[in-house]
Amino acid sequence: MTRRPIIAGNWKLNKTVPESIELTEDIKVKLMDYQKEKLPVVVLCPVFTAVQAVSNVLEHGKGIYLGAQNCYWEDNGAYTGEVSVPMLADLCVSYIVIGHSERRQYFSETDEMINKKAKAVLSHGLIPIICCGETLEQREEGITDEFVAGQIRAALKGLSEEEIAKSVIAYEPIWAIGTGKTCDSPEANRVIKMIRDTVAEVSSQDAADKIRILYGGSVKPSTIEEQMGMSDIDGALVGGASLEAESFAQIVKGTMLARTK
Ligand code: PGA
């Protein structure tokens, strides 16, 4: 089963509109040097206020996709401060990150909310990037697998086999996010394989074979080739290293190199 890799840049709360335009243009230029057919799916996730501007710069259908960092599950109504899936679809957003650990931690998002968001994203034909991952304490307690499998079971509840097959999961151990401390590739691969087995158990083997599962947490140009050489890692969700066109392009290039070996 060959799954097309995905490299997604999560810009988090960074970049004004002019800065977002500049970064997008720089990434576009750098990726132009690479062979189109070998490129992974590249996704850029700017802040909401820059989504329209980045959308204008991207030539849709040319390999770079637009993502958002969050969404609400209702289409519209009295929900002050929220942004809905059809509103993002309007701006040509194709992927939406949901349940990032920063949202769970700082904005009290629960597994139930994340499940509602996954359903909303898929019902509008967009693709959710569903995040999961354990804290350092949970890892030290030896409950990583049980905790992460629980997050996945909750997030996928009530989704059809077809919906699960087209979804994306990002395994991001919290202790590796923004710390410079990457999870060892064999260990990241082991947890990702466990996630895939969990998907097979709650859905089907076919959905588990098709779903793309990314690794996230201090991904850098120097780590990506080894990570992409693993059997079950289908790409990366990149934070810090996605804020510079050069390092992000190097990660895309490393992905191509790993896959052509
Ligand atoms: P990082 O962030 O690459 O800066 O560790 C990853 C993420 O939070 O998605």
Side-chain angles (χ1 to χ4, degrees), residues 33-125:
D33 297 340
Y34 303 157
Q35 271 175 284
K36 282 248 147 15
E37 60 285 358
K38 292 197 179 138
L39 271 185
V41 171
V42 175
V43 184
L44 305 182
C45 307
V47 290
F48 282 143
T49 48
V51 169
Q52 174 74 77
V54 171
S55 182
N56 294 345
V57 176
L58 294 176
E59 292 159 74
H60 294 287
K62 295 227 170 136
I64 308 184
Y65 294 84
L66 187 57
Q69 300 173 19
N70 183 27
C71 65
Y72 193 58
W73 57 81
E74 297 289 348
D75 287 358
N76 43 52
Y79 305 102
T80 304
E82 294 296 328
V83 175
S84 73
V85 181
M87 289 166 184
L88 293 166
D90 235 14
L91 307 180
C92 298
V93 165
S94 316
Y95 292 81
I96 305 185
V97 176
I98 57 173
H100 190 281
S101 63
E102 287 150 16
R103 300 237 29 109
R104 294 180 191 254
Q105 229 178 320
Y106 309 138
F107 304 97
S108 310
E109 286 198 9
T110 62
D111 282 336
E112 197 192 358
M113 289 158 80
I114 290 152
N115 177 242
K116 282 186 183 170
K117 290 183 183 195
K119 284 181 179 154
V121 171
L122 286 158
S123 75
H124 288 284

Side-chain angles (χ1 to χ4, degrees), residues 137-183:
E137 294 71 42
Q138 287 163 331
R139 173 158 286 266
E140 284 170 350
E141 258 180 73
I143 57 166
T144 297
D145 291 14
E146 177 188 334
F147 178 75
V148 172
Q151 287 182 315
I152 295 305
R153 280 196 201 98
L156 303 182
K157 210 170 175 181
L159 299 183
S160 70
E161 211 178 301
E162 200 187 324
E163 287 175 323
I164 292 176
K166 64 183 269 204
S167 296
V168 178
I169 291 173
Y171 167 58
E172 302 202 300
I174 296 173
W175 49 271
I177 297 178
T179 58
K181 214 158 89 184
T182 318
C183 180

Side-chain angles (χ1 to χ4, degrees), residues 23 26-27 30 34 221 241 243-252:
L23 179 57
D26 287 353
I27 290 171
K30 289 194 190 294
Y34 303 157
L243 295 173
E244 298 281 345
E246 183 55 32
S247 51
F248 189 66
Q250 288 299 325
I251 289 170
V252 173

Side-chain angles (χ1 to χ4, degrees), residues 10 12 100 102 172 176-179 216-219 237-241:
N10 173 14
K12 306 192 180 182
H100 190 281
E102 287 150 16
E172 302 202 300
I177 297 178
T179 58
S218 297
V219 171
L237 182 56
V238 188

